[in-house]
Structures are given as C-alpha cells and as structure tokens.
Amino acid sequence: QVRLQQWGAGLLKPSETLSLTCAVFGGSFSENYWSWIRQPPGKGLEWIGEVNYSGSTSYKSSLKGRVSISVDTSKNQFSLRLSSVTAADTAVYYCARGRREFGGIIAMALTYYYHMDVWGKGTTVTVSS
Amino acid sequence: DIQMTQSPSTVSASVGDRVTITCRASESVISWLAWYQQKPGKAPKLLIYKASTLESGVPSRFSGSGSGTEFTLTITSLQPDDFATYYCQQYKSNYSFGQGTKLQIK
C-alpha cells in the first residue's frame, strides 16, 4: 500500500519561498513520476510540475522560472520550491504519484503515460503580510 | 497547453438517479484521460483512468467512455456517498484538469 506524507511551512509572507516535501512509503519510487498539484480556496485543481527518479522535471508553463521540484532518492522524497510567492499562491498543495502505464511503441521507442493514483493529504499554504 | 472543459458545472440529482458528466479536450488526448472524485477537505480520489478503466476498489456504478476529445463519466444508481465534485484530467501532455462538476442533492 503506497502512502504519501507531506509537510512544510503553512504561512508565508509575500516574496518568500514556499518549500514542501513529500515522502513516499511503499511501492516503486523509480518506475513512477511524482507531482505537485495545488487548489486555491473554492477553486479547481492546478498541476504544478513533476519529477522522476533520475531528477528529470516538467513544469506548468505559467510557473516556469519560479518553481523547482527536486528528488532525494536516498530518502524516497521529493520537494517543491516556489519562489516570490504572492497571495495568488495561497492554496492547498498536494503531492501525488504518477503511476506508469504502457502507452505503446511510438517512433520505435517505448512510450509510457502516468496517471495520478495516490495522493497526499494536502498542506494548506497561506501567503499574507 | 491542453485545455479541458467540463459540463455541466453543477448537476442536481437524487439517490438512485443516473448522472452523466461530459469532458472535452482542446486537442486529442487519445484515451489518456482520468476522472477523480473530491469531497470537501479531502484529496482527490482516482475513479477511472485510460478513459474507461475502473480503478481497483471503485464501485461498478461508475463508468467512463470516450476517446480523442470527448469523454463522459456516468454514475448509475446514485448513492448518498457519491455527492461530491468530479474532475477530469488529461495526462497525454503534462497534465491539465477540467474546472470540476459539483454533484449535489436535488
């Protein structure tokens, strides 16, 4: 049974850096991708970015330049840093596992897709002066 | 970025009803689409992936269909526990979510 446990500072001032960490218990850390998603109060879900075992990352285009996701394979953990936060970054932040699915052979290469099947419980982050 | 649009935004139904939620993608996502259920104060729960594959442990009254740009989530014989908000998500190219559909009691 895979479980994700997340933690980090819940109250930030504008211009500070948000920092959250998610620990993975159980399952394969190397086969999957690991994502961060956020949800502003009363609104929908927004994907922030992902990282894999080797440290390869992908980010939502509108957040590039402010966001960084890293991995610590020795601890089966991954982390989110979001710089220069404003009130618009106030949200519940979730970590999630992207579980690998075989997508076929495309251009002679094995292709995989990753759907989010296990989520952390969420961390509320408030940005206020 | 691929845009996902759900309809309706809100649907009212009664226990025992059948409900259908639609999700449209701005470009083809083939079948790389998931559906999630979220209750207040909780993390989303995966219901369906690859457009129509039921996640383990999810009741069979939930079903998904579609491919390309149009997808549906159907819940037959609504149960009290089903009243929640539902999101579609494409995972063909990075990830993007629909805006959500709130299923409320009539």
Side-chain angles (χ1 to χ4, degrees):
Chain A
Q1 183 98 6
V2 178
R3 181 172 62 90
L4 304 183
Q5 182 176 333
Q6 56 181 106
W7 66 90
L11 180 60
L12 297 171
K13 291 181 170 27
S15 81
E16 292 185 335
T17 296
L18 179 157
S19 181
L20 299 174
T21 298
C22 184
V24 179
F25 299 94
S28 170
F29 192 73
S30 62
E31 286 187 350
N32 304 297
Y33 268 79
W34 306 93
S35 276
W36 289 96
I37 303 96
R38 68 182 181 179
Q39 185 171 36
K43 296 188 177 179
L45 300 162
E46 178 186 33
W47 176 73
I48 298 169
E50 66 179 356
V51 67
N52 72 357
Y53 178 83
S54 64
S56 176
T57 55
S58 182
Y59 302 122
K60 184 177 174 68
S61 53
S62 61
L63 295 173
K64 277 182 186 175
R66 286 206 300 137
V67 64
S68 174
I69 298 176
S70 59
V71 65
D72 184 339
T73 56
S74 68
K75 297 180 180 178
N76 279 13
Q77 294 177 1
F78 61 107
S79 298
L80 168 69
R81 288 175 62 84
L82 183 66
S83 62
S84 304
V85 297
T86 69
D89 296 310
T90 293
V92 176
Y93 286 74
Y94 295 100
C95 57
R97 180 179 78 167
R99 188 172 80 198
R100 190 172 78 172
E101 287 180 67
F102 180 61
I105 299 174
I106 300 174
M108 299 184 68
L110 297 177
T111 303
Y112 296 95
Y113 295 92
Y114 301 81
H115 64 268
M116 297 175 189
D117 68 330
V118 180
W119 294 61
K121 293 187 175 182
T123 300
T124 299
V125 176
T126 303
V127 180
S128 174
S129 55
Chain B
D1 295 0
I2 299 176
Q3 309 299 318
M4 307 300 293
T5 304
Q6 286 179 235
S7 60
S9 296
T10 306
V11 57
S12 299
S14 302
V15 172
D17 284 354
R18 173 190 174 104
V19 168
T20 297
I21 299 169
T22 298
C23 178
R24 289 186 172 85
S26 60
E27 62 183 81
S28 175
V29 300
I30 311 178
S31 293
W32 306 112
L33 184 111
W35 288 97
Y36 297 87
Q37 177 193 68
Q38 187 180 34
K39 296 182 178 179
K42 299 294 187 183
K45 173 188 174 185
L46 176 67
L47 300 174
I48 287 167
Y49 62 95
K50 206 176 179 183
S52 61
T53 303
L54 202 64
E55 174 70 346
S56 176
V58 174
S60 59
R61 63 180 180 273
F62 292 91
S63 64
S65 65
S67 65
T69 62
E70 289 216 14
F71 301 86
T72 59
L73 171 70
T74 300
I75 313 170
T76 56
S77 189
L78 271 173
Q79 299 301 301
D81 191 50
D82 299 338
F83 293 96
T85 299
Y86 293 85
Y87 293 93
C88 63
Q89 178 210 47
Q90 67 81 20
Y91 54 100
K92 176 182 179 290
S93 175
N94 287 334
Y95 301 89
S96 45
F97 293 88
Q99 80 278 16
T101 295
K102 183 176 182 179
L103 173 54
Q104 60 186 24
I105 300 174
K106 184 183 289 184

